[in-house]
């Protein structure tokens, strides 16, 4: 049997923006608090979050979405984290989520920061995992992010990648999932985002810079720090947490892909972080 059930989903129309794929898993009762989960670069809402949806649904109504250019997300001429944050806000409004928490992993955590910045009246909490307030902190990072977008232009229209296929296969093997259905599903989720789109998204992440206003965040926030992270150094994650008033820290001995590959470590920490934020909702705005 798979480690976790894959939730069904549907296309949701966001007026004036387009259509995206969402899942909406009910909580234990009608008044359960809602949490909107934003996924990592190169994945989809379900692929990043399916190990966590079941455990979270014991306390929360759990919604995932495909970000634009990812999976069945909105197709547009340009990609920006600002647009992604507006898309997330539109999902909150269309689904009628009342005072939700927004949780994000890696790229999703950076978009979550922008959701608060652009739509602070819509949300009541943040859970940020494997996160940072900016890239390009070194000459290597600056060069990598500034050139990747241009380099990936040659891959426009490519929707299959040996690298992504190999990564998906390793994900399945690491989870020891024996079902052919789950295997094919994960491969298809990986393949649904083109390498060109991933390159553009990574280039956009290179322009991410939220440090100037992190101290203004006025909703309860929890930061899940991935201590073995080789992509976003833990020191940056801890530094971000210190800049957000009252943020709690939930650190785990795991790497950057732990939302799936080390879900047995990640999921309990993320659930604990979400519960902590839910318990503090409204605290900082009194």
């Amino acid at each position: 049997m798979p480690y976790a059930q894959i939730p069904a989903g549907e296309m949701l129309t966001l007026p004036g923006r387009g259509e995206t794929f969402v899942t909406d898993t009910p909580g234990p009762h009608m008044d359960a608090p809602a949490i909107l989960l934003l996924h990592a670069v190169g994945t989809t809402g379900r692929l990043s979050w399916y190990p966590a949806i079941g455990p979270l649904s014991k306390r929360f109504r759990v919604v995932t979405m495909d970000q634009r250019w990812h999976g069945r997300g909105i197709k547009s001429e340009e990609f920006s984290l600002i647009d992604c944050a507006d898309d997330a806000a539109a999902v909150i409004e269309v689904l009628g989520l009342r005072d939700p928490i927004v949780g994000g992993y890696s790229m999703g955590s950076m978009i979550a920061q922008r959701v608060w910045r652009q739509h602070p009246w819509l949300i009541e909490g943040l859970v940020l995992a494997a996160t940072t307030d900016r890239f390009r902190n070194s000459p290597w990072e600056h060069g990598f992010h500034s050139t990747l977008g241009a380099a990936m232009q040659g891959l426009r229209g490519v929707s299959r990648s040996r690298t992504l296929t190999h990564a998906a296969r390793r994900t399945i093997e690491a989870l020891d999932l024996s079902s052919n259905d789950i295997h094919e599903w994960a491969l298809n989720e990986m393949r649904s985002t083109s390498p060109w789109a991933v390159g553009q998204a990574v280039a956009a992440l290179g322009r991410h810079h939220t440090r100037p206003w992190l101290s203004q965040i006025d909703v309860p926030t929890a930061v899940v720090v991935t201590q073995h992270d080789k992509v976003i150094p833990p020191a940056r994650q801890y530094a971000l947490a210190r800049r957000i008033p009252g943020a709690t820290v939930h650190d785990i001995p795991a790497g950057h892909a732990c939302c799936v590959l080390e879900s047995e470590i990640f999921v309990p920490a993320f659930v604990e972080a979400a519960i902590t934020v839910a318990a503090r909702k409204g605290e900082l705005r009194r």
Side-chain angles (χ1 to χ4, degrees), residues 4 30 49 88 94 124 140 185 188 203 225 241 244 255 272 283-284:
M30 291 292 293
W49 291 108
V94 171
E124 283 292 337
W140 181 89
W185 171 81
N188 287 334
V225 176
I244 299 175
E272 176 189 65
E283 175 183 295
L284 300 182

Side-chain angles (χ1 to χ4, degrees), residues 105 129-131 223-238 249-258 262 265-266 269:
Y105 194 88
T131 193
V223 179
V224 179
V225 176
T226 44
Q227 294 175 313
H228 298 169
D229 204 314
K230 304 300 183 184
V231 177
I232 301 176
R236 286 194 205 168
Q237 301 180 49
Y238 285 119
V249 174
H250 308 257
D251 42 23
I252 53 175
H256 194 70
C258 68
E262 298 175 275
I265 299 174
F266 170 74

Side-chain angles (χ1 to χ4, degrees), residues 7-10 21-25 46 53 62-65 95:
E10 63 182 3
F21 183 79
V22 303
T23 69
D24 190 350
T25 304
R46 291 195 296 182
I53 292 172
V62 185
V63 176
T64 73
M65 64 177 291
L95 292 181

Side-chain angles (χ1 to χ4, degrees), residues 57-93:
S57 70
K58 294 178 181 178
R59 297 289 191 106
F60 300 91
R61 175 184 176 184
V62 185
V63 176
T64 73
M65 64 177 291
D66 286 358
Q67 300 289 348
R68 59 177 56 209
W69 289 23
H70 288 71
R72 284 175 275 181
I74 293 171
K75 303 301 185 288
S76 57
E77 291 297 318
E78 304 294 335
F79 180 93
S80 78
L81 301 186
I82 291 173
D83 286 338
C84 289
D86 287 342
D87 296 339
V91 168
I92 291 171
E93 292 183 314

Side-chain angles (χ1 to χ4, degrees), residues 150-163:
M152 294 299 286
Q153 287 288 349
L155 290 176
R156 181 185 286 270
V158 176
S159 61
R160 298 293 184 269
S161 164
R162 291 182 180 179
T163 300

Side-chain angles (χ1 to χ4, degrees), residues 24-273:
D24 190 350
T25 304
H29 52 79
M30 291 292 293
D31 295 325
I35 184 167
L36 172 63
L37 302 175
L38 306 178
H39 63 76
V41 67
T43 70
T44 65
R46 291 195 296 182
L47 189 56
S48 277
W49 291 108
Y50 81 89
I53 292 172
L56 283 168
S57 70
K58 294 178 181 178
R59 297 289 191 106
F60 300 91
R61 175 184 176 184
V62 185
V63 176
T64 73
M65 64 177 291
D66 286 358
Q67 300 289 348
R68 59 177 56 209
W69 289 23
H70 288 71
R72 284 175 275 181
I74 293 171
K75 303 301 185 288
S76 57
E77 291 297 318
E78 304 294 335
F79 180 93
S80 78
L81 301 186
I82 291 173
D83 286 338
C84 289
D86 287 342
D87 296 339
V91 168
I92 291 171
E93 292 183 314
V94 171
L95 292 181
L97 305 183
R98 184 168 56 87
D99 301 330
I101 295 168
V102 178
Y105 194 88
S106 190
M107 179 184 78
S109 71
M110 298 163 214
I111 294 169
Q113 294 170 45
R114 295 220 61 92
V115 175
W116 175 85
R117 177 66 169 177
Q118 294 164 218
H119 305 273
W121 60 89
L122 280 182
I123 70 172
E124 283 292 337
L126 293 169
V127 184
L128 310 175
T131 193
T132 184
D133 54 13
R134 68 175 299 177
F135 285 104
R136 302 193 185 192
N137 282 359
S138 68
W140 181 89
E141 283 185 349
H142 187 278
F144 175 75
H145 285 283
S146 62
T147 60
L148 184 59
M152 294 299 286
Q153 287 288 349
L155 290 176
R156 181 185 286 270
V158 176
S159 61
R160 298 293 184 269
S161 164
R162 291 182 180 179
T163 300
L164 292 181
T165 300
H166 179 65
R169 187 171 293 113
R170 288 195 61 189
T171 297
I172 297 302
E173 291 171 352
L175 288 172
D176 192 26
L177 303 179
S178 58
S179 166
N180 288 333
D181 290 340
I182 194 73
H183 189 157
E184 289 303 315
W185 171 81
L187 289 176
N188 287 334
E189 290 291 292
M190 292 292 289
R191 291 166 175 161
S192 66
T193 303
S194 74
W196 175 79
V198 172
Q200 294 298 308
V202 170
L205 289 172
R207 298 186 289 272
H208 168 71
H209 188 192
T210 57
R211 185 174 300 174
W213 46 262
L214 286 180
S215 63
Q216 300 172 31
I217 292 178
D218 61 352
V219 295
T221 301
V223 179
V224 179
V225 176
T226 44
Q227 294 175 313
H228 298 169
D229 204 314
K230 304 300 183 184
V231 177
I232 301 176
R236 286 194 205 168
Q237 301 180 49
Y238 285 119
L240 175 141
R242 289 194 296 269
R243 293 185 176 100
I244 299 175
T248 60
V249 174
H250 308 257
D251 42 23
I252 53 175
H256 194 70
C258 68
C259 60
V260 173
L261 296 186
E262 298 175 275
S263 57
E264 72 283 358
I265 299 174
F266 170 74
V267 170
F270 191 89
V271 172
E272 176 189 65

